[in-house]
Amino acid sequence: MIPVKVKEIAFDAAMNPVLLLADEKDNRMLPIWIGPFEAQAIALALEGASLGRPLTHDLLKTICDRTGAKVASVIISDVRDGTYYAELHLQVNNQEIVIDSRPSDAVALALRTVTPIYITEKVADYALTPEELYSQEASEETRIRRLSEERKLH
């Protein structure tokens, strides 16, 4: 398993949100295309912002807290036909429970619970260097634009 961190929410050429996961030294980044609502949930968690009422991921965190379940880790475990798969690893009554999840939901919950995020070696094969991501010569599908400060998601 390779530990990763959320680097940022960026956008592709068509302004679709992209979750960027980076290794510990920022040498490789894994772009995962996500929906706008998921991007907003992740951006809010990154900024430590609250909307006053709980969003879905805040609700999941509260359920875990109140039931004694601990989110032990998040693993981006597989990619098939361009779709990434993730697992939530929970500790409940000294037992590990693994729950299938979309990567965006798992990451949004991991940020709220301060849980480590990992990718498998297979998934790491899809990671790119920062130069490959941000280069003007990159293909239209892989070119990423950073979100400027004045264009936040909320």
Side-chain angles (χ1 to χ4, degrees):
M1 297 294 161
I2 301 165
V4 294
K5 62 187 176 200
V6 177
K7 179 71 175 170
E8 65 183 320
I9 299 291
F11 291 89
D12 67 10
M15 295 308 292
N16 297 307
V18 181
L19 168 63
L20 292 179
L21 299 175
D23 66 11
E24 293 174 327
K25 296 183 180 180
D26 289 338
N27 291 330
R28 306 277 294 163
M29 293 188 195
L30 179 69
I32 300 177
W33 275 255
I34 60 176
F37 299 114
E38 293 82 0
Q40 182 181 35
I42 292 168
L44 287 169
L46 286 172
E47 296 170 11
S50 173
L51 298 178
R53 298 288 298 148
L55 296 174
T56 303
H57 305 97
D58 301 312
L59 174 64
L60 289 172
K61 179 188 180 307
T62 300
I63 290 170
C64 287
D65 290 346
R66 298 260 171 99
T67 61
K70 179 185 183 303
V71 184
S73 65
V74 163
I75 300 173
I76 313 298
S77 57
D78 199 7
V79 59
R80 293 185 300 249
D81 298 322
T83 300
Y84 288 91
Y85 293 81
E87 300 171 346
L88 287 172
H89 288 250
L90 304 177
Q91 288 291 324
V92 182
N93 298 325
N94 296 321
Q95 181 181 3
E96 182 179 59
I97 299 172
V98 179
I99 299 174
D100 180 41
S101 176
R102 296 185 309 171
S104 56
D105 290 330
V107 167
L109 184 58
L111 290 172
R112 285 165 172 80
T113 57
V114 192
T115 299
I117 304 168
Y118 302 95
I119 61 175
T120 62
E121 293 289 338
K122 177 181 178 180
V123 170
D125 288 342
Y126 291 86
L128 304 170
T129 66
E131 293 77 22
E132 291 170 321
L133 276 175
Y134 300 121
S135 167
Q136 291 300 321
E137 292 78 39
S139 70
E140 194 69 17
E141 296 81 35
T142 60
R143 187 177 312 129
I144 303 297
R145 297 179 182 157
R146 290 191 158 152
L147 179 62
S148 65
E149 284 299 312
E150 60 274 359
R151 297 188 61 200
K152 292 290 181 185
L153 291 173
H154 61 281

